[in-house]
Amino acid sequence: MKVLIILGTRPEIIKMTPVIRECRRQKLDFFILHTNQHYSKNLDKIFFEELELPQPKYNLRVGSGSHAEETGKMLIGIEKVLTKEGPDVVLVEGDTNTVLAGALAAVKLHIKVGHVEAGLRSYFRKMPEEINRILTDHCSDFLFAPTKKAREILLSEGISEKKIFVTGNTIVDTVYQNLKLARKKSKILDRLNLKKENYFLLTAHRPENVDKKERLKGILEGLDLIYKKFNLLIIYPIHPRAKKMINKFKLKVPEGIRLIEPVGYLDFLQLEANAKLVLTDSGGVQEETCILKVPCVTLRDNTERAETLEVNGNVLAGANSQKILKSSLKMLKQKRNWKNPFGDGRAGEKIIKILINKFFYEASHPKLQNR
Ligand code: UD1
Ligand code: UDP
């Protein structure tokens, strides 16, 4: 079985790590294709170094562009590699343009596609990721759903149950594999002069927030209210997209927000684990805070991570300043005793085991191949 792992952005590198580690452990024939949708060192290389990942065999150097530019360039580059290498299965993770391009290029060449983190839906079709998720799920052969809820969603869309496997989310594996290391190695709290629970942590990068002046302004005002109420700093490792838009809209960043460059995984994990509360519009950060039992306020009107709301680890606040303050006060009163809904930290192992069973077992039992 020859496995191709396609990735391109920060969250994909982080969430594919357990799958890559398991491929190595099982001594599988595998290689990585990086589209380079993310290319800045602190969104890309830093994670390969810290998480000790093998270098990609192919790097398409696609970079930034419009949706069509990014996806189109990726499709052309990925098809060439698929034709040359002929992998048995392509694995993609999540919902970025890289994921859609990887799945689409492979399925058209009749190469099996495995979608890690299948079955998530925000039901907000203006979100580019929602389109990427739906299309990727519907052209995949193996749908690795993180939860039973994701499985139910896939079944309700008519996807055959034979293709769906509930494995947990690989982010649990990544958090568990790195938390101790983060505590030991990260110096970020000292560097920023922070102590446990004496600061808030913020991430915001979704186009629906940062590309819209009114929403971005509402979020910044909400954070100002929080700073004035608690007199605690808000640490914001700012995504380049958000930085660009704050400058473009000439918005003033309130004094309580401390902007820093995006940080590596160990530093971010350490910042998350010790924050009083996290405010975010990130998918991965909603999951990680839920796993770490740190209260989260999501700066969106919807989420595809509904499990985090159901266990009361997260609340939706949108981009309205008063609602952001109210939601933060509510979450700070929340007992941190919820259960992690995203699995036991062995998703990577389960995914690879499923593929090995399928490919090796069926190869020796040809009658099963079309089942
Ligand atoms: C992408 C994904 C999003 C994911 C996010 C993770 C899509 C549609 N979006 O959003 O789902 O949550 O990555 O962070 O696939 N830029 C840099 N350096 C980089 C990459 C980007 O400066 O390494 C800047 C460029 O100005 C670029 C902008 O960020 O135009 C947006 O980059 P892009 O990859 O298109 O989308 P993201 O917002 O990063
Ligand atoms: N993250 C990081 N450094 C940062 C900000 C985030 O390592 O400065 C990690 C975070 O731990 C999470 C992932 O990046 O695992 C989330 O990525 P992002 O928010 O960019 O994308 P999304 O999850 O929304 O697709």
Side-chain angles (χ1 to χ4, degrees), residues 9-12 14-15 38 42-43 46-47 50 93-96 117 127 129 133 171 174-175 201-206 236-239 260-269 271-272 280-288 300 304-305:
T9 67
R10 169 168 73 186
E12 294 160 69
I14 292 169
K15 287 179 167 176
H38 282 178
N42 53 12
L43 294 184
I46 191 165
F47 300 103
E50 272 190 346
E93 192 288 328
D95 51 24
T96 65
E117 202 176 79
M127 187 183 191
E129 293 84 358
R133 289 180 194 122
I171 194 64
T174 310
V175 168
L201 179 65
L202 165 70
T203 82
H205 73 283
R206 301 237 94 81
Y236 183 11
I238 188 165
H239 187 287
I260 59 171
E261 287 299 309
V263 294
Y265 194 64
L266 298 182
D267 281 347
F268 194 77
L269 209 48
L271 281 173
E272 266 182 316
T280 192
D281 63 9
S282 156
V285 174
Q286 288 175 66
E287 291 159 353
E288 285 168 341
R300 289 174 52 189
E304 56 293 320
R305 274 81 178 178

Side-chain angles (χ1 to χ4, degrees), residues 219-229 234 254-256:
I219 289 172
L220 293 175
E221 284 167 4
L223 293 158
D224 191 35
L225 294 178
I226 292 176
Y227 176 65
K228 287 183 175 140
K229 175 94 190 158
I234 299 158
E255 59 164 340

Side-chain angles (χ1 to χ4, degrees), residues 37-40 64 70 97 129 205-206 239-241 244:
Q37 181 177 339
H38 282 178
Y39 45 86
S40 299
S64 305
E70 286 182 7
N97 289 342
E129 293 84 358
H205 73 283
R206 301 237 94 81
H239 187 287
R241 178 181 206 114
K244 191 165 77 178

